[in-house]
Amino acid sequence: MKHSVEHRTVPLVDIAAQHRSLQEEIERAVLGVLESGKYILGETVAKFECEVAGYTGAKYAVGCASGTDALLLALMAFDVKAGDEIITTPFTFFATAASIARLGAKPVFVDIEPDTFNIDPEKLEKKITPKTRGIMPVHLFGQTANMDHIMATARKHGLFVIEDAAQAIGATYRGRQAGTIGDLGAFSFFPTKNLGCAGDGGLVTANDPGLAEKLTMLRVHGAHKQYFHKYVGINSRLDAIQAAILSVKLKRLDEWHHARRRHAALYHELFEGSKVRIPLVKPGNVSIFNQYVIQAHERDRLKEYLAGKGVSTFIYYPLSLSLQECFAYLGHKKGDFPVAEKATAEVLALPVAPELTEEDVRYVAAKVLEFYQ
Ligand SMILES: Cc1ncc(COP(=O)(O)O)c(C=O)c1O
C-alpha cells in the first residue's frame, strides 16, 4: 500500500475541537442556566431527560451525577444487597463491577466473546445460582451485547437486567436502542463518551413507572418530598449546567455517530487482508464506535511505534477485573477468563473521533500497516 510520508499528530479524542464547533450555542445555554439561579435539577434537567427519552425511545429518563451512579442507582432500585450475586463481564470499565461490590453484592464474571468483547451469553446460564438476582451486560465500545439471548436467560430465571450502556447511547440492537431492552439502562456523559458533558454526568432509562419513580427518589436521598425519606438513597443529581450543554450536543449526536462509523468503515477497508484484527460488528447491530479497538500482535510495541509517529492510542482495558487487587477476595486466578485476559494483552484503541479527517484515518492505518511490514 502507498502511504503518505507527511507527519501528522492524530489525537485519540479532541474534546476542545468538538467544543469549538458549538461554542456559541453552549456558552449561551450555560449563561442561561447561570442567570436562572436554578443549578440543581429543575426544568433544564427535566427538558434534557425528556429529550433522552425521545432519543432512545425509553418511557422515562432520570438524570444523575455520573455513569457510575447510574449503575449504582439502578442496582439500588432493585434493592440489591449483601449476599446477592450479579452477573457481569470482567472486560469493562471498573465501575460496572464496582457498583455491584459497593452494595455488598458479589460480581460474578462471565467471559466475553472474542470478536465483540461483549459478555458471552452461551456461558451465562452456568453461572446462575439461587443467589443470582440480575445480569448487567455492558455494551462495550459502542456495540450492544447479544440482548435476545441475555433477556431470554434472564426471564427464564426471573432475573433483572441492567444494561451498562455508558459507552453506547444511540447504538441499536435489531432496531432497538441500547439501554431500553433490559429493565433499566445506565448511561454516562463522561467527556470522552459520544455524548459527553463538561464534567461528570449520567442517566438511567426505564420503561416501568414504578422503577422510574423510585430512581427519582433514590437520587435525592430517597425523598418522596423534601425532608420525607421513603428510602436511604444517595445525593446524585445531574447539574443543570451539564444538562444544558448536553441538550445542545444531543442535536449533533447522530451526525457524530455517522462520522465515527465512516472512519471505522475506512479502517476496515484499509486493514482488509492485513494482520490487524478489526472489531467485528455483529449482524443486527449498529455500533456507535465509542472506541475503535483492534487486536494486535506485539501490541505494546505497536503502541510505542504509533506514538513516535504522532498517533495517540489507548489500552481499554489492561487488566481483567477478575485479577484486580480489590477483587482478590473473589478468589479468581489467571486463566479463569481466558478470552478477556487475551484481550487485555492485545487490544488497542485507535483514533476514531468525529473531528478526525479522512486523511487522519488513512495516516493512522498506514502507520499501523507500516509497523507490520
Ligand atoms: C462501561 C462503563 N461503565 C460505567 C462507566 C462509568 O461512567 P462515569 O465515568 O460517568 O462514572 C463508564 C465510563 O467511564 C463505562 O465506560
Side-chain angles (χ1 to χ4, degrees), residues 245-288:
I245 294 171
L246 289 164
S247 280
V248 173
K249 290 191 173 184
L250 184 60
K251 290 185 266 177
R252 298 283 293 280
L253 188 59
D254 283 339
E255 193 186 306
W256 292 333
H257 289 338
H258 186 73
R260 286 173 183 270
R261 281 197 282 270
R262 204 173 52 236
H263 298 332
L266 184 56
Y267 276 134
H268 280 40
E269 188 188 313
L270 297 170
F271 289 140
E272 180 111 52
S274 77
K275 276 191 183 167
V276 178
R277 195 157 158 210
I278 58 172
L280 181 85
V281 179
K282 287 240 167 121
N285 270 348
V286 178
S287 174
I288 60 154

Side-chain angles (χ1 to χ4, degrees), residues 65-69 71 92-96 138-140 164-167 187-190 192-193 200-202 290 317:
S66 68
T68 303
D69 278 2
L71 292 168
T92 173
F93 179 60
F94 178 68
T96 314
V138 180
H139 306 319
L140 206 66
D164 181 342
Q167 302 184 4
F187 294 86
S188 163
F189 305 121
F190 186 77
T192 58
K193 301 296 191 259
D200 279 309
N290 178 239
Y317 296 93

